[in-house]
């Protein structure tokens, strides 16, 4: 049997599975969980797929690339994801607090055995689960008690990045999921154009990622390669994927893509 991850009506990937473990329908999301010889378990959700044995790729890449591009991050918001391993990786950085915006708790709780550090993250005093829908959270944060963040990681492509920009500190970094850079370059260009007055707007991807997920790094101050905190990046221990050279290579694009994004991508 095979399970399929679709990118659009022209491109999809198939992964061999042994059997379906269970299916969970939450308030908005549906989780299908499969077992696979190659990847351990596979979690299939509307917004994408998670491979249990490859969680380190997305989790380490996103958390450490962002945390090591900011001089002194103190607070992070993760929105539009169920991947608690990203929070675990952020928590490796001393004094960094993580807010995790996810209201579909039935689905999240069904992944307790899927994520190796689920319990550790949930019990961390520097982790806060915010069980709200995005609209409710954003509405509350326009009031006087607004919380601001050094890093906002938005992984739900259906959400508008502009809605989260007011939550950023003056030197904050925004990372959003983008269309596939090679297959949908024009869509990436439109997304870059929509990001307004960020001084730095750079597409990137996790090198050698099977899932082909792509992102846009946006900041008014920090540059992800010029401002990389090398000492911090090199001192991280116990990682399987991220390191400083991989961080730098994530922003290297093919010549044709660079030409098409010239004047829109800002680096």
């Amino acid at each position: 049997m095979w399970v399929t991850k679709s990118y659009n009506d022209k491109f999809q990937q198939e992964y061999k599975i042994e059997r379906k473990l269970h299916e969970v329908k939450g308030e908005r999301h549906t989780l299908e969980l499969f077992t696979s010889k190659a990847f351990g378990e596979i979690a299939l959700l509307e917004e994408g797929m998670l491979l249990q044995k490859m969680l380190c790729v997305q989790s380490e890449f996103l958390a450490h690339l962002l945390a090591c591009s900011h001089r002194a991050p103190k607070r992070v918001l993760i929105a539009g994801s169920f991947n608690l391993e990203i929070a675990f990786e952020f928590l490796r950085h001393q004094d960094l607090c993580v807010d995790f915006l996810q209201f579909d708790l039935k689905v999240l709780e069904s992944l307790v055995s899927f994520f190796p550090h689920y319990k550790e993250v949930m019990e961390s005093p520097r982790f806060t689960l915010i069980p709200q829908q995005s609209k409710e959270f954003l509405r509350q944060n326009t009031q006087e008690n607004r919380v601001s963040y050094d890093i906002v990681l938005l992984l739900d492509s259906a959400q508008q990045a502009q809605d989260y920009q007011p939550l950023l500190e003056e030197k904050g970094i925004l990372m959003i999921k983008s269309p596939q850079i090679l297959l949908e370059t024009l869509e990436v260009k439109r997304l870059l154009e929509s990001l307004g007055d960020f001084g730095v707007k750079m597409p990137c991807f996790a090198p050698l990622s099977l899932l082909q997920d792509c992102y846009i790094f946006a900041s008014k101050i920090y540059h992800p390669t010029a401002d990389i905190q090398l000492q911090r990046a090199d001192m991280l221990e116990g990682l399987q994927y991220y390191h400083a050279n991989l961080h730098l290579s994530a922003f290297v694009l093919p010549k044709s893509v660079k030409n098409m994004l010239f004047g829109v991508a800002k680096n």
Side-chain angles (χ1 to χ4, degrees), residues 14-249:
E14 290 188 332
Y15 296 80
K16 190 171 184 178
I17 59 171
E18 300 301 309
R19 61 190 177 92
K20 186 172 183 176
L21 296 175
H22 62 263
E23 180 175 328
V24 177
K25 293 186 181 294
E27 292 187 51
R28 172 185 165 191
H29 302 86
T30 298
L31 165 68
E32 294 179 276
L33 203 59
F34 306 89
T35 184
S36 162
K37 283 186 178 180
F39 304 109
E41 293 180 4
I42 297 176
L44 186 63
L45 295 141
E46 292 92 334
E47 69 271 18
M49 178 184 289
L50 295 171
L51 309 176
Q52 192 175 46
K53 288 186 177 180
M54 303 296 288
L55 284 171
C56 62
V57 176
Q58 184 191 62
S59 306
E60 293 181 14
F61 174 76
L62 291 173
H64 303 309
L65 184 145
L66 289 166
C68 293
S69 296
H70 193 291
R71 183 166 297 175
K74 297 297 182 185
R75 197 177 190 98
V76 175
L77 173 68
I78 303 172
S81 178
F82 287 95
N83 189 356
L84 280 176
E85 290 300 298
I86 301 174
F88 174 77
E89 296 299 334
F90 270 122
L91 291 170
R92 289 182 187 268
H93 296 268
Q94 189 176 8
D95 299 328
L96 188 57
C97 296
V98 180
D99 288 354
F100 195 86
L101 180 62
Q102 181 54 256
F103 78 97
D104 211 332
L105 299 186
K106 184 177 181 181
V107 171
L108 184 62
E109 290 164 0
S110 299
L111 292 165
V112 62
S113 62
F114 184 86
F115 295 123
H117 300 100
Y118 185 101
K119 184 177 180 181
E120 186 175 347
V121 170
M122 286 293 188
E123 293 179 352
S124 171
R126 293 186 286 122
F127 175 82
T128 302
L129 175 63
I130 304 176
Q132 294 179 322
Q133 295 196 41
S134 297
K135 289 183 179 179
E136 179 185 0
F137 175 76
L138 291 169
R139 183 171 60 251
Q140 288 185 359
N141 275 275
T142 59
Q143 300 171 359
E144 292 182 1
N145 60 343
R146 182 171 66 89
V147 178
S148 55
Y149 296 92
D150 299 298
I151 296 170
V152 172
L153 175 58
L154 178 59
L155 295 176
D156 185 349
S157 55
Q159 297 292 325
Q160 296 296 315
Q162 296 90 333
D163 294 336
Y164 288 82
Q165 286 181 233
L167 303 184
L168 284 173
E169 292 279 1
E170 182 181 355
K171 296 181 179 180
I173 298 171
L174 173 69
M175 178 81 93
I176 62 173
K177 193 171 181 179
S178 86
Q180 218 285 335
I181 294 171
L182 286 176
L183 297 175
E184 301 173 284
T185 312
L186 285 176
E187 291 301 316
V188 175
K189 183 176 182 179
R190 294 188 187 100
L191 186 55
L192 286 164
E193 290 172 336
S194 73
L195 287 175
D197 60 349
F198 284 104
V200 177
K201 297 188 292 185
M202 297 173 63
C204 63
F205 61 97
L208 291 180
S209 170
L210 294 177
L211 295 176
Q212 299 290 311
D213 289 335
C214 301
Y215 309 92
I216 291 176
F217 178 105
S219 171
K220 293 185 178 180
I221 300 293
Y222 292 112
H223 190 285
T225 59
D227 293 314
I228 180 174
Q229 305 296 300
L230 285 172
Q231 183 178 11
R232 191 185 309 158
D234 289 337
M235 288 182 63
L236 292 166
E237 297 180 353
L239 302 186
Q240 301 178 61
Y241 180 75
Y242 175 87
H243 57 84
N245 286 337
L246 185 139
H247 177 129
L248 298 173
S249 69

